[in-house]
Amino acid sequence: MSKKSRKKSSKTPSGSPTAKKKTAKTRASIQTKSAKTERTPARKSAATLAKAGSHKAASKQLKSSKSVSSPAAAKSSLKSGLAEGQKAPAFRLPRDGGDVVTLADYAGQKLVLFFYPRADTPGCTREAIDFTRLADAFAAAGTAVLGISADPLKAQEKFRDKHKLGIPLISDETHGMLEAYGAWGEKSMYGKSFLGILRTTILIGADGKIARIWRNVRVDGHADEVLEAARSL
């Protein structure tokens, strides 16, 4: 055998140091890759768990926000349990012009209370103008009319002057009367829920009891309907 052949053959046996080194490197490489492969899912699963945790936290926040508003909503629903035939809740509130109005002021006569969300908005303006238009007819039927919202007195007076309203406007900024008559509760707009004034009208008889209740009022023709109900009492 030639010297070259002997040199080549001395490098190729599997038991040689060179082969052992290559085998060790190959094994180490395989182990490293497998370790990385094992670690990668662990990282992903940790991220998945973190994300799941954040979803749970968000869910808890959503539930807690609902639970925070639910007592007020529940209170409102209890207040809105006011039914026809019950005694009208007493009230004492300021009105436009600076006077104070109470339920006792209208003892022995019929009284209409129309609750509107906000002064000088389109629907509320039409409603107030309609009741003003029929003010004499209500008076002939022995019925007084009051408009109520949570607007401050200055806003009520500006509303009155701008549209020449002839109906007394009451300011209930603390929502006490609104809640007592079921005109304060949960509303929704653009997918969001909030508490606010529910357009409501109450007709109180001369005996001081609730004769009629209109909830979720539609403005068009409403004042005329209330007038007919007042005349029928």
Side-chain angles (χ1 to χ4, degrees):
M1 184 181 289
S2 66
K3 289 181 180 180
K4 288 183 179 179
S5 300
R6 281 201 298 270
K7 284 180 181 179
K8 285 182 180 178
S9 63
S10 66
K11 290 179 182 178
T12 54
S14 59
S16 68
T18 305
K20 285 180 180 177
K21 285 180 181 179
K22 286 182 179 179
T23 305
K25 283 183 179 179
T26 304
R27 285 176 184 168
S29 174
I30 292 169
Q31 287 174 356
T32 304
K33 285 181 180 178
S34 63
K36 284 182 179 178
T37 307
E38 288 173 2
R39 282 198 298 271
T40 301
R43 285 173 188 165
K44 285 184 179 178
S45 61
T48 305
L49 288 170
K51 194 177 283 185
S54 67
H55 283 312
K56 284 182 181 178
S59 176
K60 284 181 181 178
Q61 287 177 354
L62 182 61
K63 286 180 181 177
S64 65
S65 67
K66 285 183 179 178
S67 63
V68 168
S69 63
S70 61
K75 184 180 179 182
S76 174
S77 89
L78 285 174
K79 294 292 185 182
S80 65
L82 187 71
E84 294 176 4
Q86 292 182 351
K87 187 177 179 181
F91 59 84
R92 180 184 177 83
L93 289 168
R95 58 156 289 186
D96 61 305
D99 293 333
V100 173
V101 177
T102 70
L103 179 63
D105 295 338
Y106 300 93
Q109 63 176 309
K110 293 173 282 187
L111 175 64
V112 169
L113 305 173
F114 70 95
F115 299 89
Y116 57 94
R118 189 175 179 181
D120 207 22
T121 52
C124 299
T125 299
R126 292 202 318 272
E127 186 176 21
I129 288 173
D130 282 347
F131 275 109
T132 295
R133 173 176 56 83
L134 297 172
D136 290 340
F138 274 106
T143 308
V145 179
L146 300 175
I148 306 97
S149 74
D151 296 293
L153 283 178
K154 284 186 178 180
Q156 299 283 43
E157 290 169 352
K158 186 178 178 181
F159 181 39
R160 174 201 64 196
D161 295 341
K162 181 179 178 179
H163 300 286
K164 297 180 174 57
L165 303 176
I167 301 297
L169 303 178
I170 295 178
S171 174
D172 183 16
E173 294 185 82
T174 62
H175 311 153
M177 182 184 182
L178 291 164
E179 290 182 7
Y181 281 88
W184 180 263
E186 189 171 347
K187 304 173 73 173
S188 62
M189 184 179 288
Y190 305 120
K192 294 183 179 180
S193 295
F194 59 95
L195 293 176
I197 298 177
L198 308 171
R199 197 182 298 279
T200 306
T201 299
I202 307 289
L203 173 59
I204 302 172
D207 58 359
K209 294 182 179 179
I210 305 296
R212 285 284 304 274
I213 300 175
W214 291 265
R215 301 203 184 279
N216 302 315
V217 168
R218 292 187 177 183
V219 173
D220 293 340
H222 176 63
D224 295 273
E225 182 183 352
V226 176
L227 175 60
E228 289 306 313
R231 284 171 171 164
S232 67
L233 285 182

